[in-house]
Amino acid sequence: MSEFVIHPLLDTGTISVNDVLCQGHCRHRSAEECARTTHIVFPYRGLYLRHVGSDQSVADANHVLFFNAGEGYQVSHPVDGGDSCLSLAIAPELLRELVPVELLNRPEEPTLRVQSLRIDPRAQALVALLRHSLSHGSIESMEAEGLALTLICRSLGPRTAHATGATQSRRRLVDRVKVLLANDLGRQWKLADIAAEIGGSPVYLTQAFQQVEGIPLHRYHLRLRLARALDRLAHCEDMSTLAMDLGFSSHSHFAAAFKQAYGRTPTQFRAEALSKSA
């Protein structure tokens, strides 16, 4: 069986959208790969590590990753279960127009100087809405193009993107925390439990995580759980079971957290995603 399964969802000549599923069999660094065109990639299930030289980025549902044309990279999968990503590629002239100049390697070339950026819940919701509506044929091409452009703008905008100035040692420590959380997403973690697994004190871990990610550790974990709900909603009608699977104390707790993050209840979001153009 192939390591990758690619489901084309949209290709208008200007924008292409693919749903990419990886089996995640490669625990250690893969052979070096290289993208032919620049892709903007939104992980929505699972976790993997992307390596560019000595730099490393965690790919999870709280981040967008940039696979630059002609740039070599490797991936590894420290967590079982593989991963899934929504991969967007747009015409170079549009990419140059969309990407803030401070994020470009060179103004005349549509490649980015960062591996990844953190995204907010609004961008996560757009990822799920675009994927579910295209998968179920409930959105027309022009509307999907507009939604994809909105997603890219949102992900690169100053209100949502967060680039850290933390040291490499702190970033690697926080990466280990992210891997730990992804290994048991529904667990109700305590700071002492994480500190015992990772090493260091709860205070130091809390401070390091805040510096690297710009949000508290508990909120980061909550957003991962809610992003997993976004992934599963289109195929799930039992919201109580979904809530329990993701570590929420009750359906009402889950629904309240979901609505606070995304502006509508899980049931409302599911209905919107499956009947986008209705």
Side-chain angles (χ1 to χ4, degrees):
M1 185 176 184
S2 174
E3 182 78 357
F4 291 96
V5 179
I6 300 175
H7 298 291
L9 299 180
L10 178 72
D11 189 353
T12 66
T14 302
I15 299 176
S16 67
V17 181
N18 292 296
D19 193 7
V20 182
L21 285 68
C22 179
Q23 303 299 319
H25 295 144
C26 183
R27 303 286 289 189
H28 303 290
R29 287 196 185 199
S30 66
E32 187 168 87
E33 304 173 57
C34 185
R36 293 182 179 180
T37 59
T38 297
H39 287 76
I40 301 175
V41 176
F42 296 89
Y44 64 84
R45 182 189 62 83
L47 176 146
Y48 62 94
L49 301 180
R50 180 171 181 261
H51 312 271
V52 178
S54 61
D55 197 14
Q56 171 183 293
S57 291
V58 171
D60 65 18
N62 283 333
H63 290 86
V64 56
L65 281 84
F66 308 108
F67 288 69
N68 287 324
E71 181 179 68
Y73 67 90
Q74 298 169 291
V75 298
S76 59
H77 294 85
V79 178
D80 291 333
D83 61 84
S84 300
C85 300
L86 195 70
S87 178
L88 280 64
I90 66 173
E93 61 272 17
L94 283 184
L95 190 59
R96 279 193 296 268
E97 186 176 348
L98 286 171
V99 178
V101 66
E102 63 270 17
L103 292 181
L104 290 171
N105 279 315
R106 290 183 291 274
E108 71 279 5
E109 183 179 300
T111 60
L112 289 92
R113 64 176 180 81
V114 293
Q115 272 211 65
S116 68
L117 292 170
R118 181 173 53 77
I119 59 174
D120 71 347
R122 174 60 179 162
Q124 290 178 331
L126 289 170
V127 171
L129 192 61
L130 180 62
R131 184 173 68 86
H132 289 315
S133 57
L134 283 172
S135 297
H136 290 84
S138 59
I139 189 171
E140 295 180 352
S141 295
M142 186 182 297
E143 186 180 5
E145 286 182 301
L147 194 58
L149 292 177
T150 299
L151 170 60
I152 293 171
C153 288
R154 180 80 188 186
S155 302
L156 296 174
R159 292 178 303 165
T160 58
H162 171 77
T164 179
T167 63
Q168 185 181 64
S169 61
R170 279 203 164 194
R171 286 187 279 121
R172 290 297 176 92
L173 176 70
V174 169
D175 286 352
R176 290 167 57 201
V177 175
K178 295 174 186 175
V179 171
L180 181 66
L181 296 178
N183 265 302
D184 195 354
L185 197 58
R187 178 172 171 177
Q188 296 184 1
W189 290 95
K190 297 181 178 65
L191 284 174
D193 298 334
I194 297 174
E197 293 278 354
I198 299 298
S201 73
V203 172
Y204 181 75
L205 285 177
T206 300
Q207 293 173 342
F209 207 96
Q210 179 75 44
Q211 181 188 18
V212 171
E213 287 300 323
I215 59 174
L217 199 163
H218 72 86
R219 189 178 303 168
Y220 188 96
H221 184 223
L222 175 62
R223 289 183 182 179
L224 285 181
R225 294 153 66 203
L226 292 174
R228 186 72 177 108
L230 287 173
D231 170 35
R232 293 177 56 182
L233 274 177
H235 307 285
C236 177
E237 296 186 5
D238 187 344
M239 298 300 170
S240 294
T241 298
L242 179 59
M244 295 299 108
D245 288 347
L246 295 175
F248 292 93
S249 58
S250 65
H251 173 264
S252 60
H253 177 209
F254 165 56
F258 190 99
K259 186 172 183 178
Q260 184 175 21
Y262 304 125
R264 56 275 225 197
T265 67
T267 301
Q268 290 170 334
F269 187 92
R270 184 176 187 274
E272 181 182 356
L274 298 186
S275 57
K276 187 71 181 67
S277 298

